[in-house]
Structure formats: C-alpha cells, structure tokens
Amino acid sequence: MTYDVTNNQDESRFETTVDGEVAVAEYHQEGKRITFTHTLVPEKLEGRGLAGTIVKAALDHARAEKLEVVPQCAFVASYIKRHPEYQDLVRADD
C-alpha cells in the first residue's frame, strides 16, 4: 500500500492520514538545516511501515532542497543508519 505524505509547513511536520489518524515526523528548520525531533504513529496504525514511509519522504525532501539533516529523533537516526543512501545528508560530527 502507498501513502500520501505531505509537508505541513504550518505545523512543521511531514504527515499522512490513514483511517482518520495522522502519523507524523516533526521537524524544526533553520535556514538550510532541518532537525527531526519526533516521529509518531498512532497505536492503531503501527506495523504498517508508516514511520519509515514518512521519514523516507522527509529525507527525500531534505535532499531535494539541499538541507543538512540533524536526526535528533531516535527513529530518524536509526532509519538513516539502516539506509546508507541518506547518510550523506548528516554532518559527520552529528
């Protein structure tokens, strides 16, 4: 199944809505640096791969916009570690 992920800039989060529930990857952006602070998937939506789908969309956005990624959120950090194609988005000292 595919999910439509959008960048809700007003709320500073990437999000998708499934069965009336919203799953998000929250961020804070300053200039060309985007810090991912929290990923949340409602309990009833767990196990569908939503967090990974949202984070992938967020990282693809960061790449397209040439943003430096700070993976403060443990899930985002873990996702980047498991997907080396995104490691170049993170500063070496982060």
Side-chain angles (χ1 to χ4, degrees), residues 4-47:
D4 182 33
V5 178
T6 58
N7 181 4
N8 182 341
Q9 292 179 338
D10 291 339
E11 298 289 330
S12 296
R13 66 189 195 184
F14 287 85
E15 62 187 25
T16 190
T17 302
V18 178
D19 298 336
E21 300 282 335
V22 181
V24 302
E26 298 174 344
Y27 66 86
H28 175 70
Q29 185 173 342
E30 286 186 35
K32 292 303 239 177
R33 176 180 273 201
I34 187 166
T35 302
F36 290 98
T37 58
H38 187 65
T39 302
L40 175 68
V41 175
E43 188 175 341
K44 78 179 215 177
L45 299 179
E46 289 178 358

Side-chain angles (χ1 to χ4, degrees), residues 39-77:
T39 302
L40 175 68
V41 175
E43 188 175 341
K44 78 179 215 177
L45 299 179
E46 289 178 358
R48 299 184 190 193
L50 285 171
T53 298
I54 294 168
V55 170
K56 179 184 185 318
L59 294 173
D60 288 344
H61 168 83
R63 182 176 307 287
E65 297 297 318
K66 298 180 176 28
L67 301 176
E68 176 185 335
V69 171
V70 179
Q72 190 176 52
C73 167
F75 183 85
V76 175

